[in-house]
Amino acid sequence: MIPFTQYVRGLAGDDDLVRLDGPFEVPVDVLAAEALRASGPALRFQRAAGSDLVSGVFSGPDQTHQREARPWSRLSLGLGLDPEAMLVDLLETISTLGPAGGNLNPTYTGQAASGTDIDAQDLRFPQGETDTWPAVTLGVASVSTADGTHWAPVHGSVVGGDTLRVRVPDTLSSLVGEGTTMTIALGVPPAAITTAYLLAVTEQTATPIQSCGVTGTVPLVPTNGGLVPSATEVVMETTVVDCKPDFRSDRREGWEYVIESGPLSLSVERVRTTENPVIPVSPVGRPLADDTRLTGLVTAAALYHRLNNYWGISPVEWIMLPAEAELGICFVASDVLYGGFEWQLANILFSFSSLFDTVVIVDEDVPPQDFGRVLADIWLKSHPARDWTFSEPDAPAATRPHYRRDNETGSRLYVNAAWDPRWKETYIAPRVTFENSFPNDVRDVARVLWDEPDTAPGETTENESPH
Amino acid sequence: MSVSSLREYLDLLDTTGWLRSFDQPVSWDLEASAATMLANIRDGPIPVFESIAGLETESKLVGDPYRGPQTRPWDHFARALGLSGGLSGRTYYDRVIDRLNAPQAPRTVASQEAPCKETVRTGNEVDLLSFPWPYIHEGDGGRYSNLHTIVAPDPDTEWGTWSSHRMMIHDSSQASLLLLAGEQVPNRYYYDYEPRGEPMPVAVVIGAEPTVECTADMWIPTGRSEAAFAGGLKSEPVDLVQCETNDLYVPATAELVLEGHVRPDDRLDEGPFGDYFGYMNGPRRSMPVFEVDAITHRHEPRIPFCVEGSGVGYGQNSTSTLRLVAAGPDATVGLRAAGFDVAMAVPWRFTSRTVWVIATDRPYPGYLHELANFIFTTWGMLHIDFFVFVDAAVDPLDPRAVLTAIALEADPDADFHQFGVERMPKVPLNIYQTPDEKGNADVGTSKAKTAKAYIDATTDGDAAEMAATTETRKRAQERLVEAGLNAARFDRLDEREGQSQ
């Protein structure tokens, strides 16, 4: 388990975080959004008053602009993997945080957040250019029931020193009533917020964390609401004062496109913080925002797990719901086992997720970090007539796209950008690559010309990052 | 001032640190190409191979000279046109469109004033094999010249028509030209000269100045002269000089000119070749024969070539860059001239000749259908399979914005439109048809037909994306650059309006 502050230090140590010193005349969410658009590092906003903020810690570079981009590398680091970890290693790790069957034995340690003489406004949450109130993002809500502690993602606004208006999954709202205590944890270990997202998108918020793999890796501490990670930067203990408050928010964190959500009004009873708290923020609603990226990764993890435990074999190489497509398209690389398998694959994805109604299938040998190749193969390998397959117009609209918000049914689409398994081997055009197009000795000559050190045999260089 | 020759352009690259000369001998047999591909992959400098291994020649090879930087592929061209570096893509397009709207007729010069006539070889002196034509990919059918301008006759213009078709070298005087019916020069040959049994005079211009190379990549309507548009791009006339052995005029500052003719009713093998799709493409086909009558060249000619196939996905090479920096603005001009309210037409950067993105308003119902129909039946017919239409406010140069528009706005039920399933022609370079479907049609197009499609990824009026004000975004970017982030990655810091012409 990696505490949040250690995670932030790790990003800085990897030169993947830049510190900005306040004051900030430009709104923090705009700075955060611009850094993400530019495939920049995570940002730490050092402030004289209030807590420090960090943005971009759960997102990463734009795969449409940058070769070899691995926007999952930061979260990989946060979950204890190598930042160079393959996407599937991360997806599998995410899956282990969820429901594990049976009760596990949590580890309890002391609460890191001990300072108590402040209120919610003292933390100086960032306020966007058009926001009425400061915004709380990337939080974990914790409530306790007879079954145990339940976690879910939460975001909202600070409308006063002791008042929050938040949005949580309906599956969590159904567990609380007016007077219920709820704890909002900010700056939790990456494993904890990932778990909250995973439980939300798989509609398993009702499963107590005592039955989830995260319990085995994240030490916990009891609070008035429920258990939270002991290494939490900010712990806000609150009471639900209104389960149906009359307010609307234009902002939606990414998980809200997957499941139903609703507002709650909370009274803040007590705020505990670490000595120098660091709080993650996401530029919600803007491209590549942390909450979107996180939602895409946990949804992909859930789908990957389900698909590769469905046929008795594991044909799926990887699944991506890229933030670059705002989660509105599902990309899957798979072994196309037989003619027609692509139809099965696409339609099972439609069965397991309502986020998207477009699926793109690529060959299993396309690495997920070579998204540029995916964005070429869509158009190159798929026959414009035969490989763009539309369903009958009787499907419900997906939740993420903007069209058909009137409950009208319509078609779904899958694009088959993989080689047809029925084709003869001689029909398959070889790719033009540094490895395929030149023999070893010629490649060596080319590397030496550019003053390259010798490359180990078999080591690929074609997808190296541009300098 | 625009540059007026490939050499001036290479000097410009040198001054900006984007050129790397290699003095050690490098072979034309895959080595020059492999080194170039590495540079393309890594966004490195443009390589110039000063010494060719195993060949007594004063020629030099230049690998993918027109490849632009990955963050701003138009940057080198902007400088070559006398504009500032660091322009945003939109500003670059605006500047180039302005110039294309002001064509300038070429100027003819005498042979003694034309650098391309420094050496003239005719008759027995003609020897194609004395030049280091590169063998580009292992598996190619032969050695190629594939970054040049073909000059062919056009009865409607004084200066002929310019285009680009790859050429496979066969022997000291013969090459096969990839002429695919549906394009202007191939049509002229297949449906005019060859039926009459008449050889078609052709000049292959290698190492022409950048604006010439740009216009060869454009779809200029018949009756209009590429030479005039090249002059417009340059803001001054292009110098042309008459060929030694035919009536064609060629750019005077070219490095090398092959004069000759395409023989009627004769074919030579062509291909396979690692093509712009990024895949080795077969089968070997029979293509028209180009016979060389004369060779003229500058001293120490620079022979540019393109590592085709390395311009897909994240890769950039000369042809992918030329699509973006030249064909895109040209298409925008052409569509506006045809009455369409188009903000920008831009090739999709991951496969630049297969998909185009067009940012446009939709002034009336059915407008997108009309627009798609117009393009598919004119310049988009053979190579392009898809058009993606996005709002005029969406930056079509930003693939993330385009992908988001497709994901959120393109309804599979209503916004994907197929044009005539299996009724349309297709170049046989594609990889989604089987070899049987491609066949070996006499004029080079696939035997089987294909489909075309367009995607309506425009909104229904609602803004697709939350965005801060331009001014706030700009201030944010300035702050981030101060903190050490790479300025080249930001889009609003590069509008140096006062510096651009």
Side-chain angles (χ1 to χ4, degrees), chain A residues 315-335:
Chain A
V316 172
E317 198 63 37
W318 53 260
I319 293 181
M320 269 203 291
L321 283 87
E324 290 82 352
E326 291 290 336
L327 316 182
I329 300 178
C330 179
F331 295 85
V332 56
S334 179
D335 182 5

Side-chain angles (χ1 to χ4, degrees), chain A residues 200-226:
Chain A
V201 304
T202 53
E203 299 192 71
Q204 296 183 95
T205 303
T207 302
I209 59 159
Q210 288 88 341
S211 302
C212 293
V214 69
T215 301
T217 60
V218 176
L220 304 169
V221 64
T223 67
N224 282 350

